[in-house]
Amino acid sequence: MSWLPTLVRACYFIAALLFILGLKRMSSPRTARGGIVWAGVGMLLAVLATFALPDMHNRGLILAAVVIGVAAAWWSGRRVAMTAMPQMVALYNGMGGGAAAAIGAVELVAHARRAAVAVPDTAPLRPESWALDALHPVAAVAPLSPVELVLGVLGALIGAVSFSGSLVAFAKLQGWMDRRFVFPGQRAVNLLILLLALVHGAMLATGHLTVPATAAFFVLALLFGLMMTLPIGGADMPVVISLYNAFTGLAVAFEGFVLGNEAMIIAGMVVGAAGTLLTQLMAKAMNRSLGNVLFGSFGAAAGGAAQEIAGSQKPIEAADAAVMMAYAERVAIVPGYGMAVAQAQHKVWEFARLLIERGVKVRFAIHPVAGRMPGHMNVLLAEAGVPYDLIADMDDINPEFPATDVALVIGANDVVNPMAKTDPASPIYGMPILDVAAARNVIVIKRGRGTGFAGIENALFYADNTRMLYGDGQAAAGELVAQLKALDA
Amino acid sequence: MSWLPTLVRACYFIAALLFILGLKRMSSPRTARGGIVWAGVGMLLAVLATFALPDMHNRGLILAAVVIGVAAAWWSGRRVAMTAMPQMVALYNGMGGGAAAAIGAVELVAHARRAAVAVPDTAPLRPESWALDALHPVAAVAPLSPVELVLGVLGALIGAVSFSGSLVAFAKLQGWMDRRFVFPGQRAVNLLILLLALVHGAMLATGHLTVPATAAFFVLALLFGLMMTLPIGGADMPVVISLYNAFTGLAVAFEGFVLGNEAMIIAGMVVGAAGTLLTQLMAKAMNRSLGNVLFGSFGAAAGGAAQEIAGSQKPIEAADAAVMMAYAERVAIVPGYGMAVAQAQHKVWEFARLLIERGVKVRFAIHPVAGRMPGHMNVLLAEAGVPYDLIADMDDINPEFPATDVALVIGANDVVNPMAKTDPASPIYGMPILDVAAARNVIVIKRGRGTGFAGIENALFYADNTRMLYGDGQAAAGELVAQLKALDA
Amino acid sequence: MLDGFLALYIFMLAAFTGYEIIARVPVILHTPLMSGSNFVHGIVLVGAMIALGHARTPFETALGFVAVLLGAGNAAGGYVVTERMLEMFKSSRKPGDQA
Amino acid sequence: MLDGFLALYIFMLAAFTGYEIIARVPVILHTPLMSGSNFVHGIVLVGAMIALGHARTPFETALGFVAVLLGAGNAAGGYVVTERMLEMFKSSRKPGDQA
Ligand SMILES: NC(=O)c1ccc[n+]([C@@H]2O[C@H](COP(=O)([O-])OP(=O)(O)OC[C@H]3O[C@@H](n4cnc5c(N)ncnc54)[C@H](OP(=O)(O)O)[C@@H]3O)[C@@H](O)[C@H]2O)c1
Ligand SMILES: NC(=O)c1ccc[n+]([C@@H]2O[C@H](COP(=O)([O-])OP(=O)(O)OC[C@H]3O[C@@H](n4cnc5c(N)ncnc54)[C@H](OP(=O)(O)O)[C@@H]3O)[C@@H](O)[C@H]2O)c1
């Protein structure tokens, strides 16, 4: 054993350490930014070290693929809008799953080739043996061991599912696939596909490595990812993406075991476990169970016995709204997806600052699933420079609404819909909401009578103490600012 | 390889898993009790599995030693008083350190014997090789590898230090060793001993395994543990015990590496890391740094430029104290070490209940280092059945003292000593205290003019709004109860 | 099976580590953390490089090439997106003391 | 060195696991947790049994005997003391809802 592989393994160790430390930092708001840099340094180290490995062929090809892949992803990641982040995560995650599946395929094919030759490869034919020594000192030059075969196949399966599933999630969030794809007996069909994929996987794992079986296995796995994701509504996509993220982690760990690469095992497993927990936390924040997200029928009941809403929407002028808030004691601002679409956060914060200067107590009330990803509103408000201490969680602010003079809802709909509490037929029934209806006055900024994500009516807009300020979020907030300034002039 | 060792390793794996899960449960008050049972099941499994190992000699001796050790520890652990718990932890922890050191000694001696034979042992001579295969497939029948030697020596060193240090901690807390042992140049001497121990350890690790060197190494290591612990005051012992606990964990992990025993590696390392963090947390709760605890001169300045206290202690009768509290609106009860000594928690809670029945708002104010171990007061109050919501942390209750009518201090001294804030010469200067002096009236229950742990006067007892209720904690609380009942009769 | 145990230990401990890191993370960080862990499994790039580096047949080489391409996309894209998300936390760190 | 790396990974991951378990533990549990982790390193008993089980010379046997004795004391004593400390949490769990 030369010193070079040892050095490479040392780099891998440091990389694994940096990944863990980086993730640790990322899980606290104060240190989050540094975290990604730590993990990035680890990645760079691991990749450079791998380039330096002896006995690597196709170095030119490797470099080309790395450069192309990095350039394309970097470019696309830089230019997407902030609101499109979730689907980009889905896309990149799918790529990782695809890579794991492809590695599994290479290993299976190479295993079949080696098994066919009957005599085991000599060392130079399979020079990655240095990396394998540790985990299976004897099997290094022999074909894969049974455990490796099983984990390799399993990793390929999970990776392929994550690949096609993530691509569907991407397409849905990107708006390329508006309709949910549902048909009777769907679950049975999906189960059948999964079973068939598992059967083919078992064949591969037990050494029946024919070309048709391998091809069928991958096609079935990809198909399952597709079919499993198609019926899920876009509102649940962040949870699904998080789940596939954990899947990819697992797949990477399993393929890492096959390659005898400890950095992959550890990074993959850490992500697998972290992602599983994160998925549960996200589902919980939306008051859903994971099973309900994956197999539930979100929105299926919508339009059924929907509750009729009495009354009418009462409009208000910006000037009146501005005066109302200028002389209020407490104002709560409730942003939603519409604020993100209108990129109104800067104007909203300017308006809030003017109110604060006048002595009004202003707080931002954030629902955990406002917007299109967890923390969406926090990110936007942080971008605009709103200090943390003005931002209140749902649990903190809900008891305060009765003492609030004006609740200013801007571009939020589902998260303030009282029907989540009153109408069992509503698709959002049971979701905890921001209790704005309890405020003395409610002003709602939205463009018109558009519904929110769940596609349902909102009784709040028809309430006696609610006034509608129609218009684009940014424009409306700008007008409020102008009116407020005019007040003082 | 037969199936038996595999089964044993599976048991070890499950044991390691149960240890981690058990510790996880122990770190939350709701699940803490179950945690120790989980860990206990893991331990039982590991020990039984080890008995089943093939090729074990001396089974009778092993059984005898286990039975004697378990019986003695079980008996002593069952019968000690609650207040003596910390020193028992020290004692058992020292035993663990001693065991690790003894294992290191056996391995070193066996290594020397084998190296002297020159030809490597054959398999039956070193049948634990099955356990070693994994970590060093080739070296199984050869003498220890350099890394193993180094870790084995290091583990023995750390274990021996933990052994003698823990015994000193035990003796101090048990009251067998009242005086701190200090002399000029002590640090230099300690450093010298450590250096000598390291030099001898390096000799052993590099193969110079003579009998004198080995003996000298262990004597020096034990001496260092002794010398390092002697100068530390009893008040800091819980922190020191926690540190030695982490030490023992490390030593066990290192010896586990030498034996190729994964359960030891993982359990030891988990405890090593957990114990290190715990040590820091405990030091922080006492407002000390770890370095200050180990090398500081706690109490050295005491008696020096101690501040003179003006005024006198003003006694009060139990009847008057009872009336005062019966007609108060808010009462804060501040327990300290004296309540533990007097085992007065039940009477105190009875008294508090009577007050609550009369409509008085009662809260228990707990200082993090009241008593003689962190959480000491919480444990006692929990034993008496005081509900959690009546128990307040220092940070929570301090702002409330100005609105408190009566603060009833029972057996607390240092933790309510205002000189921690005012007198820089005081040994407790800088420690955050419970701000009872801010209460409208203070009643202090203690036996006489005894000082607290730090051995210093307390200005609180001389304050204008303080009244002293002299007597044993339990008796005084009992009298308060009687007086309160008499009030209603 | 021997090596299997060591792998099992590593799997178990890595899982605990990952789980514990995420436990008690605030909602606001869910999405950046998802993105950050998405970046971390970009380490698959290293495996893809090794697979391509040891490919023998044209088919294996083609598969390996795709793997490296995808792996590089995962790593680079994951980094950029996470970095952009977390950048948002900069401005608000100054006014608020702690979160 | 090869096996050294695997051991290093296990050391690292076990350390993270231990650290994360303790992070954010309430003061009230410091002492029981110290005692509980004291019990856990009682696993040294297993190593002592192996050492005694493979002792060849009388000296090794004597050392091994002491090791088992001490290890057994660590494990049994650690269990009893921890169990007694934690028993205290029983009574107060009912009145308070959560801690
Ligand atoms: N956070 C997550 O993780 C996540 C992920 C996926 C889905 N979801 C789901 O998304 C929903 C979030 O609720 P939400 O209240 O934030 O949003 P919402 O229910 O989707 O409502 C958004 C509202 O904003 C208005 N709007 C759109 N563009 C606007 C613009 N340019 N200016 C002003 N208003 C505009 C729309 O009405 P007009 O058309 O009349 O203007 C619409 O009613 C929930 O159902 C949640 O379950 C959440
Ligand atoms: N919690 C920990 O982890 C820990 C560990 C070690 C040391 N310490 C140290 O211990 C101290 C704890 O402070 P503390 O205020 O709880 O206790 P303290 O300062 O030790 O004071 C205890 C007081 O209780 C009185 N007392 C003793 N027996 C009594 C009885 N039977 N009935 C009534 N009163 C009795 C004593 O006065 P009389 O003699 O006049 O009755 C004494 O003044 C701090 O200095 C702390 O740093 C803490």
Side-chain angles (χ1 to χ4, degrees):
Chain A
M1 183 186 53
S2 89
W3 55 269
L4 196 53
T6 306
L7 198 71
V8 172
R9 292 187 76 193
C11 288
Y12 285 170
F13 178 78
I14 297 172
L17 195 66
L18 286 172
F19 288 158
I20 295 177
L21 291 173
L23 281 177
K24 243 177 96 75
R25 297 183 81 84
M26 273 186 248
S27 52
S28 153
R30 271 184 319 111
T31 54
R33 283 194 80 219
I36 183 65
V37 177
W38 287 46
V41 170
M43 188 69 75
L44 209 63
L45 196 67
V47 171
L48 290 181
T50 308
F51 262 119
L53 269 184
D55 301 315
M56 290 274 277
H57 301 255
N58 307 325
R59 276 179 206 272
L61 272 182
I62 296 178
L63 193 66
V66 168
V67 167
I68 298 173
V70 166
W74 199 276
W75 179 77
S76 59
R78 270 268 154 251
R79 63 174 271 284
V80 290
M82 215 48 208
T83 39
M85 286 295 178
Q87 52 260 51
M88 294 315 283
V89 175
L91 185 64
Y92 301 136
N93 176 55
M95 289 176 140
I103 293 175
V106 174
E107 288 300 310
L108 287 177
V109 171
H111 172 79
R113 167 170 55 75
R114 269 179 261 124
V117 177
V119 286
D121 293 4
T122 48
L125 239 176
R126 197 172 151 73
E128 73 272 43
S129 58
W130 65 266
L132 289 151
D133 282 354
L135 286 179
H136 32 89
V138 258
V141 288
L144 300 176
S145 77
V147 178
E148 284 162 357
L149 257 180
V150 169
L151 285 188
V153 169
L154 219 57
L157 175 69
I158 300 173
V161 169
S162 170
F163 177 68
S164 57
S166 295
L167 290 191
V168 173
F170 168 77
K172 289 216 173 201
L173 284 181
Q174 193 74 342
W176 295 355
M177 226 183 240
D178 276 358
R179 294 226 44 76
R180 297 197 300 123
F181 174 76
V182 234
F183 57 85
Q186 191 164 25
R187 273 194 223 182
V189 172
N190 286 2
L191 199 70
L192 189 74
I193 298 175
L194 179 62
L195 271 178
L196 278 176
L198 285 175
V199 167
H200 280 83
M203 275 171 58
L204 302 192
T206 50
H208 304 280
L209 275 159
T210 61
V211 174
T214 313
F217 168 70
F218 279 99
V219 168
L220 283 164
L222 291 170
L223 188 65
F224 178 70
L226 201 78
M227 296 293 288
M228 182 171 148
T229 322
L230 278 176
I232 302 174
D236 287 326
M237 274 311 146
V239 179
V240 173
I241 296 172
S242 177
L243 183 72
Y244 287 143
N245 184 37
F247 272 24
T248 304
L250 258 189
V252 170
F254 288 170
E255 297 305 334
F257 182 79
V258 175
L259 291 174
N261 186 302
E262 301 102 348
M264 280 171 76
I265 298 183
I266 287 171
M269 206 63 203
V270 166
V271 170
T276 307
L277 180 55
L278 199 55
T279 308
Q280 283 162 354
L281 292 178
M282 286 168 97
K284 213 175 110 196
M286 298 177 68
N287 200 33
R288 315 275 309 270
S289 81
L290 193 53
N292 187 260
V293 166
L294 293 181
F295 311 113
S297 50
F298 185 93
Q307 212 171 273
E308 278 303 303
I309 297 173
S312 62
Q313 296 192 2
K314 293 161 282 290
I316 190 173
E317 291 301 313
D320 299 336
V323 171
M324 200 160 149
M325 289 186 269
Y327 295 103
E329 201 176 316
R330 284 168 195 275
V331 169
I333 302 180
V334 182
Y337 179 62
M339 184 184 83
V341 173
Q343 287 290 315
Q345 62 270 23
H346 298 280
K347 279 281 167 222
V348 169
W349 175 222
E350 190 183 344
F351 177 64
R353 264 199 322 253
L354 288 174
L355 287 180
I356 292 170
E357 275 164 24
R358 298 182 65 96
V360 181
K361 292 211 182 76
V362 178
R363 294 248 268 164
F364 288 84
I366 308 289
H367 190 281
V369 296
R372 287 296 177 269
M373 58 184 185
H376 199 166
M377 293 302 117
N378 305 65
V379 164
L380 292 177
L381 294 180
E383 186 197 356
V386 179
Y388 281 147
D389 47 355
L390 293 188
I391 299 178
D393 282 345
M394 178 169 61
D395 297 335
D396 288 339
I397 196 122
N398 262 349
E400 290 186 14
F401 277 115
T404 299
D405 301 301
V406 183
L408 175 65
V409 175
I410 169 157
N413 190 337
D414 295 347
V415 298
V416 293
N417 194 338
M419 295 166 101
K421 289 199 284 191
T422 57
D423 181 3
S426 145
I428 60 170
Y429 183 70
M431 180 170 92
I433 59 155
L434 282 167
D435 220 2
V436 285
R440 303 213 180 96
N441 298 285
V442 181
I443 297 173
V444 177
I445 298 179
K446 65 200 296 271
R447 292 165 309 176
R449 294 179 166 256
T451 55
F453 203 96
I456 50 168
E457 276 293 350
N458 189 335
L460 175 75
F461 304 156
Y462 300 85
D464 287 338
N465 58 343
T466 299
R467 294 292 173 277
M468 308 298 293
L469 180 54
Y470 294 116
D472 171 74
Q474 189 166 172
E479 221 180 318
L480 285 176
V481 168
Q483 295 292 348
L484 212 51
K485 284 187 173 152
L487 259 184
D488 298 320
Chain B
M1 184 186 50
S2 89
W3 55 270
L4 195 55
T6 306
L7 198 72
V8 172
R9 291 188 77 194
C11 288
Y12 285 170
F13 179 78
I14 297 172
L17 195 64
L18 285 172
F19 288 159
I20 295 177
L21 291 174
L23 281 177
K24 243 177 95 76
R25 298 182 80 84
M26 273 185 248
S27 51
S28 153
R30 271 184 318 114
T31 54
R33 282 193 81 218
I36 183 67
V37 177
W38 287 46
V41 170
M43 188 70 75
L44 210 64
L45 196 67
V47 171
L48 290 181
T50 308
F51 262 118
L53 268 183
D55 302 313
M56 290 275 277
H57 299 257
N58 307 325
R59 277 179 206 271
L61 272 182
I62 296 178
L63 193 66
V66 169
V67 167
I68 298 173
V70 167
W74 198 276
W75 180 77
S76 59
R78 270 267 153 251
R79 63 174 272 283
V80 291
M82 214 50 208
T83 40
M85 286 293 178
Q87 52 260 50
M88 293 316 283
V89 174
L91 185 64
Y92 301 136
N93 175 56
M95 288 177 143
I103 293 174
V106 174
E107 288 300 310
L108 287 176
V109 170
H111 172 79
R113 168 171 54 74
R114 269 178 262 125
V117 178
V119 284
D121 293 2
T122 47
L125 240 175
R126 196 172 152 73
E128 73 269 319
S129 58
W130 66 267
L132 288 151
D133 282 354
L135 285 179
H136 33 89
V138 259
V141 290
L144 300 177
S145 77
V147 178
E148 285 162 356
L149 258 179
V150 170
L151 285 188
V153 168
L154 219 57
L157 175 69
I158 300 173
V161 169
S162 170
F163 177 68
S164 57
S166 295
L167 290 190
V168 173
F170 169 77
K172 288 216 172 200
L173 284 181
Q174 193 75 343
W176 295 354
M177 226 183 240
D178 276 358
R179 294 226 44 77
R180 298 195 300 121
F181 173 76
V182 234
F183 58 84
Q186 192 164 24
R187 274 194 221 182
V189 172
N190 286 2
L191 200 69
L192 188 73
I193 298 175
L194 178 62
L195 271 178
L196 278 176
L198 285 175
V199 167
H200 281 84
M203 275 170 59
L204 302 193
T206 50
H208 304 279
L209 277 159
T210 62
V211 173
T214 313
F217 168 70
F218 278 100
V219 168
L220 284 164
L222 291 170
L223 188 65
F224 178 68
L226 201 79
M227 297 293 288
M228 182 172 148
T229 323
L230 278 175
I232 302 175
D236 289 325
M237 274 310 147
V239 178
V240 173
I241 295 172
S242 177
L243 183 72
Y244 287 143
N245 184 37
F247 272 25
T248 305
L250 257 189
V252 171
F254 288 170
E255 298 305 334
F257 182 79
V258 175
L259 292 174
N261 186 303
E262 301 102 349
M264 281 172 75
I265 297 182
I266 287 172
M269 206 63 203
V270 166
V271 170
T276 306
L277 180 56
L278 199 55
T279 308
Q280 283 163 354
L281 291 178
M282 286 169 95
K284 214 175 109 193
M286 298 177 69
N287 199 34
R288 315 274 310 271
S289 80
L290 192 53
N292 187 261
V293 166
L294 294 180
F295 311 114
S297 50
F298 186 92
Q307 211 171 272
E308 279 302 304
I309 297 174
S312 63
Q313 297 191 1
K314 293 161 282 290
I316 191 175
E317 289 302 311
D320 300 335
V323 171
M324 199 161 150
M325 288 185 269
Y327 296 103
E329 200 177 320
R330 285 167 194 277
V331 169
I333 302 181
V334 181
Y337 178 64
M339 183 184 84
V341 174
Q343 288 289 314
Q345 61 270 25
H346 298 280
K347 279 280 167 224
V348 169
W349 174 222
E350 189 182 344
F351 179 63
R353 267 200 320 252
L354 288 174
L355 287 181
I356 291 170
E357 276 164 25
R358 299 182 64 95
V360 181
K361 292 209 184 76
V362 178
R363 294 248 268 165
F364 289 85
I366 308 290
H367 190 281
V369 297
R372 286 296 176 270
M373 57 185 184
H376 199 167
M377 293 302 118
N378 305 65
V379 164
L380 293 176
L381 294 181
E383 185 196 358
V386 179
Y388 281 147
D389 47 354
L390 293 188
I391 299 178
D393 283 346
M394 179 170 62
D395 297 335
D396 288 339
I397 196 122
N398 262 348
E400 291 185 15
F401 276 116
T404 300
D405 300 302
V406 183
L408 175 66
V409 176
I410 170 157
N413 190 337
D414 295 346
V415 300
V416 293
N417 194 337
M419 295 165 101
K421 290 198 284 189
T422 56
D423 182 4
S426 146
I428 59 169
Y429 183 69
M431 179 170 92
I433 59 155
L434 283 166
D435 220 2
V436 285
R440 301 211 181 97
N441 299 284
V442 180
I443 297 174
V444 177
I445 298 179
K446 66 199 295 271
R447 293 166 309 177
R449 296 180 163 254
T451 54
F453 203 96
I456 50 167
E457 276 293 352
N458 189 336
L460 175 76
F461 303 157
Y462 300 86
D464 287 338
N465 58 342
T466 301
R467 294 292 175 277
M468 307 299 292
L469 180 55
Y470 294 116
D472 171 74
Q474 187 163 176
E479 221 180 317
L480 285 177
V481 168
Q483 295 290 349
L484 212 53
K485 285 188 173 152
L487 260 183
D488 298 319
Chain C
M1 273 311 267
L2 255 176
D3 43 88
F5 268 112
L6 283 188
L8 213 59
Y9 277 107
I10 292 188
F11 278 134
M12 171 186 86
L13 290 172
F16 268 115
T17 306
Y19 190 92
E20 293 290 333
I21 285 176
I22 301 296
R24 279 159 282 178
V25 75
V27 172
I28 172 176
L29 279 173
H30 282 181
T31 306
L33 247 178
M34 173 168 82
S35 180
S37 55
N38 172 40
F39 165 65
V40 165
H41 65 53
I43 188 71
V44 72
L45 170 58
V46 163
M49 287 168 70
I50 293 176
L52 176 52
H54 298 141
R56 295 262 153 255
T57 65
F59 183 56
E60 288 173 31
T61 307
L63 272 177
F65 189 80
V66 171
V68 174
L69 212 62
L70 292 174
N74 182 175
Y79 186 86
V80 171
V81 168
T82 311
E83 216 267 328
R84 283 186 59 190
M85 282 189 198
L86 291 176
E87 213 167 320
M88 299 294 170
F89 288 82
K90 183 181 49 182
S91 48
S92 54
R93 230 187 331 173
K94 284 169 234 143
D97 40 2
Q98 224 183 358
Chain D
M1 273 310 266
L2 254 176
D3 44 87
F5 268 112
L6 283 187
L8 212 59
Y9 278 106
I10 291 189
F11 278 134
M12 170 185 86
L13 290 172
F16 268 115
T17 305
Y19 190 93
E20 292 291 332
I21 285 175
I22 301 296
R24 280 159 281 179
V25 75
V27 171
I28 173 177
L29 279 173
H30 282 181
T31 306
L33 246 179
M34 173 167 84
S35 179
S37 55
N38 172 41
F39 166 66
V40 164
H41 65 53
I43 189 71
V44 72
L45 170 58
V46 163
M49 287 168 69
I50 294 177
L52 177 52
H54 298 140
R56 295 263 152 251
T57 66
F59 184 55
E60 287 172 32
T61 307
L63 273 178
F65 189 80
V66 172
V68 174
L69 212 62
L70 292 175
N74 183 176
Y79 186 86
V80 171
V81 167
T82 310
E83 216 267 329
R84 282 187 60 190
M85 282 189 199
L86 291 176
E87 212 167 323
M88 299 293 170
F89 288 82
K90 182 180 49 180
S91 48
S92 53
R93 233 188 326 173
K94 283 169 235 146
D97 39 1
Q98 225 182 358

